[in-house]
Amino acid sequence: MAKGKDIRDKITLESTAGTGTRYVTTKSRRNTPDRLVIRKYDKAIRRHVEFKETR
């Protein structure tokens, strides 16, 4: 049985600090169609910074 288009997409969040740190998570296409921006912990610089969704 094949699955159709899932509502939850896998996305990659990349640090805006330029360290190259990334997180992989999912989001709902229906509830948040825009690109996501979240403050998360960047292990490379040991601080919380904004992570933006990349395609």
Side-chain angles (χ1 to χ4, degrees), residues 2-20:
K3 281 190 176 181
K5 278 265 192 191
D6 289 335
I7 292 174
R8 299 195 63 81
D9 284 335
K10 278 189 181 178
I11 61 166
T12 303
L13 299 170
E14 188 168 356
S15 175
T16 58
T19 58

Side-chain angles (χ1 to χ4, degrees), residues 15-52:
S15 175
T16 58
T19 58
T21 304
R22 295 180 178 193
Y23 283 97
V24 176
T25 187
T26 61
K27 78 168 189 175
S28 173
R29 274 188 294 155
R30 186 179 302 155
N31 295 335
T32 52
D34 301 329
R35 289 196 180 191
L36 202 58
V37 177
I38 299 178
R39 282 184 59 87
K40 293 183 75 65
Y41 185 73
D42 190 338
K43 294 178 268 187
I45 58 173
R46 293 190 246 159
R47 292 176 193 224
H48 282 83
V49 295
E50 284 190 343
F51 279 74
K52 292 187 178 180

